[in-house]
Amino acid sequence: MWIDARAVVDIDAQQRVTAVRQVWLFDEMFGAYATQGMAKGKGGALPAATLKGMADDWMKSLGEPISHYFTRVTVGGQTATFAAPRDARVDWNPKTTRLTLSFTLPLASPMPIGPEGAQVDIYDPTYFVAYAFDEKGAVSLAGPKASACTSDYRKPKELDWKTMQQLAAIPADPEALPDELFAITKGLTHRIEVRCP
């Protein structure tokens, strides 16, 4: 699955990370798969109730411990705990056959951005979702103190051919990723470094 992603890190007046807002635009193949057999309206539109049901189901699945929203926020070596996600919605574009999932992950407690900054990692530990933050402005900061802070986006490292072949050979529904490959996928993170004066 391929996702064109956007992420906004919310920073409050005390220079604390309060939430990560994300938008995931799924590829056309996933759109065709996820909507097959669904009753569509005029022009291929999906009913609002269907889209809401998809959003609820996806957020429930994303909350499972192995995925944990494919997002990790770390400040000073401590990993943040998320409160219940909010503002989840799915949109469907029948012309492009692409689905979009938007959601906000609030932190259970805002985390002050210390001298080492804050790190937001977005990745799939099972290697089945490939993210791209290629669009201009795909990573940004928002909130009362956002303009005083900076963000730096880092792409995952490139994999060698042998490792890519090993990962490609994994079945679509494995019981678990082999330990040596799981260690590799943990390094395939899209990292946003946030620093404030």
Side-chain angles (χ1 to χ4, degrees):
M1 180 188 310
W2 288 266
I3 292 177
D4 294 318
R6 297 198 308 271
V8 179
V9 181
D10 286 334
I11 300 169
D12 69 8
Q14 287 79 47
Q15 291 189 340
R16 302 177 301 179
V17 176
T18 60
V20 181
R21 291 181 279 142
Q22 298 187 61
V23 178
W24 298 352
L25 176 61
F26 297 93
D27 65 86
E28 296 89 341
M29 286 177 56
F30 178 75
Y33 167 77
T35 61
Q36 68 181 344
M38 291 184 175
K40 296 184 175 78
K42 187 177 179 182
L46 287 171
T50 299
L51 295 172
K52 183 183 183 321
M54 291 172 83
D56 292 344
D57 290 345
W58 290 356
M59 294 312 294
K60 184 178 179 184
S61 294
L62 285 169
E64 295 293 328
I66 191 165
S67 54
H68 203 58
Y69 309 105
F70 297 156
T71 306
R72 182 179 64 218
V73 177
T74 310
V75 179
Q78 291 192 325
T79 301
T81 302
F82 296 120
R86 62 175 194 259
D87 308 325
R89 67 176 279 153
V90 170
D91 293 296
W92 164 247
N93 185 330
K95 290 182 181 175
T96 62
T97 65
R98 297 186 78 176
L99 289 159
T100 305
L101 172 66
S102 309
F103 61 96
T104 298
L105 281 178
L107 274 60
S109 299
M111 296 185 77
I113 301 171
E116 294 136 19
Q119 295 77 43
V120 178
D121 293 318
I122 299 170
Y123 70 105
D124 176 9
T126 61
Y127 190 67
F128 292 107
V129 177
Y131 289 94
F133 289 83
D134 295 336
E135 185 181 310
K136 186 176 181 181
V139 171
S140 61
L141 306 177
K145 284 291 184 177
S147 61
C149 304
T150 60
S151 67
D152 182 43
Y153 166 70
R154 186 193 72 205
K155 284 185 175 183
K157 63 182 179 182
E158 294 288 330
L159 291 176
D160 61 85
W161 178 250
K162 181 182 175 188
T163 304
M164 285 193 292
Q165 291 297 101
Q166 287 178 287
L167 289 167
I170 297 169
D173 54 351
E175 291 296 315
L177 201 63
D179 288 343
E180 67 276 10
L181 294 180
F182 188 73
I184 291 168
T185 62
K186 286 182 77 174
L188 298 178
T189 180
H190 295 263
R191 172 162 284 189
I192 304 165
E193 290 271 0
V194 180
R195 296 193 178 273
C196 298

